[in-house]
Amino acid sequence: MIVDAHAHMELPIPGVIPCPERQREPLGFMYAYQMVRFRNPLWRGEPPDALRAFIAAENQIRLSMGSKKNLLEKMNRAGIDRSVVLPVAPFSTSSSYLEQCADEPRLIPFSSIYPSDGWESELQKAMDSGCKGLKIHPILQRIPPEDSFYFNLLDMFRNYGRPIIAHTGEFNYFITPDPCSQYGDPLRFERLISAFPDVPFILGHSGLYYPQKAIELARRHESIYLETSFQPLKVVREALTVAGHDRVLFGSDWPESNQRYSVGIARKAAGGNRRLEEKLLGENILALIS
Ligand SMILES: [Zn+2]
């Protein structure tokens, strides 16, 4: 069973209008990046400033392609059995994801909560209605990882015995420079992780441009799981060495990357070890949500 631990359906953030009619990925930097299997020979860390707006625009076009129908089609093509789908409140909501997943056992919804009056009952309703975990996204939600809201949220969420996945990695979603992109720094999540050692904490994208920080955190905290989207083979191998075979999860972040590449990298990282392949490609995430 192959399970993508990180995918989205609609994610209409500011600047992005859903365009599910679009089928082809735009041919830009991100396209080239996946073609070279996320090995970047040109620079280390975040992209140079001159490229920021181009990558943000390309990413927005990719996000616009998100829809249930498109995701299921891409899963068929990439040989993915199930995908964990992540709303990001307030742009997409737990209830709309739950509704769309109700008649589709191949899609596994998480919840997402944005501070408002009554967020507690919203979380309770989402979890009682079948959400299998929680997504937080400090950059898009404009909430620093150290903010008391996330501590209050986890204080309640811990009672469900489910995992949380956080977007990690500095990233500019917008054409104009975004100071909140720094909220993605993996190290800024450590206080939250330390405060709730009983909550399985998935680092989405394993820190993106700074995987060493995410891997270092996983070395320090047993509760951390590393999700592999946008990471090249070398990093996935290192993640497996440091975090062990049970704490690394294949993910793609579709529609922001094509599942075909991340699943290929994960398979290669397993290096013919059938047992490891089963765990990395599906069993590890299923163990957290069942
Ligand atoms: Zn995501």
Side-chain angles (χ1 to χ4, degrees):
M1 167 89 74
I2 300 181
V3 186
D4 185 343
H6 190 157
H8 302 280
M9 298 190 288
E10 288 84 1
L11 191 49
I13 62 171
V16 175
I17 297 162
C19 181
E21 299 78 17
R22 187 183 176 99
Q23 299 291 325
R24 292 185 69 113
E25 299 167 70
L27 304 176
F29 168 78
M30 294 177 78
Y31 187 81
Y33 194 38
Q34 63 184 20
M35 293 299 282
V36 297
R37 310 298 192 269
F38 311 115
R39 284 175 306 221
N40 185 350
L42 301 177
W43 65 81
R44 298 184 76 78
E46 289 160 86
D49 239 20
L51 276 180
R52 190 203 62 244
F54 292 104
I55 294 173
E58 185 183 354
N59 188 57
Q60 290 190 358
I61 297 172
R62 284 180 168 271
L63 283 175
S64 76
M65 297 163 64
S67 79
K68 174 181 171 180
K69 181 168 163 281
N70 287 350
L71 173 57
L72 289 168
E73 266 171 36
K74 300 290 178 192
M75 286 167 65
N76 289 341
R77 278 202 218 159
I80 311 283
D81 298 300
R82 301 211 171 157
S83 290
V84 173
V85 287
L86 309 170
V88 177
F91 310 108
S92 48
T93 61
S94 316
S95 53
S96 79
Y97 269 47
L98 272 167
E99 208 172 286
Q100 295 200 68
C101 295
D103 60 348
E104 186 45 76
R106 296 181 65 194
L107 301 178
I108 305 165
F110 271 31
S111 58
S112 182
I113 300 293
Y114 191 72
S116 64
D117 286 345
W119 67 259
E120 293 94 339
S121 55
E122 221 180 283
L123 177 65
Q124 189 184 349
K125 190 170 157 227
M127 297 311 295
D128 291 348
S129 309
C131 287
K132 302 292 188 191
L134 173 71
K135 161 96 171 189
I136 64 170
H137 199 312
I139 300 175
L140 289 176
Q141 295 182 314
R142 323 310 274 171
I143 305 169
E146 304 87 356
D147 195 277
S148 61
F149 171 68
Y150 287 137
F151 284 78
N152 295 336
L153 182 59
L154 280 207
D155 202 33
M156 181 172 170
F157 178 70
R158 76 195 312 175
N159 301 317
Y160 297 100
R162 300 282 186 191
I164 176 173
I165 181 166
H167 167 97
T168 62
E170 292 84 339
F171 190 77
N172 268 277
Y173 287 84
F174 308 105
I175 312 291
T176 47
D178 180 10
C180 293
S181 70
Q182 298 309 309
Y183 294 170
D185 181 348
L187 298 180
R188 293 183 64 170
F189 291 83
E190 191 161 19
R191 269 177 51 198
L192 191 60
I193 292 163
S194 308
F196 300 96
D198 52 328
V199 178
F201 205 107
I202 304 169
L203 301 182
H205 325 303
S206 298
L208 197 61
Y209 298 122
Y210 300 103
Q212 293 312 325
K213 292 185 184 179
I215 290 174
E216 212 30 61
L217 280 180
R219 197 194 298 275
R220 292 206 284 268
H221 300 274
E222 279 291 316
S223 61
I224 288 182
Y225 292 73
L226 297 168
E227 178 268 298
T228 64
S229 52
F230 298 107
Q231 294 303 340
L233 179 61
K234 192 168 156 236
V235 170
V236 179
R237 280 190 178 139
E238 193 183 342
L240 287 164
T241 305
V242 173
H245 293 185
D246 298 326
R247 294 203 285 137
V248 185
L249 318 169
F250 145 67
S252 73
D253 198 23
W254 188 90
E256 296 180 70
S257 94
N258 187 321
Q259 292 172 316
R260 190 147 57 103
Y261 299 97
S262 32
V263 81
I265 290 167
R267 232 185 228 116
K268 212 163 178 188
N273 178 340
R274 279 292 301 274
R275 193 64 202 107
L276 173 56
E277 193 173 313
E278 285 167 359
K279 286 183 173 193
L280 175 61
L281 269 68
E283 249 179 56
N284 289 347
I285 179 68
L286 287 177
L288 287 176
I289 59 180
S290 42

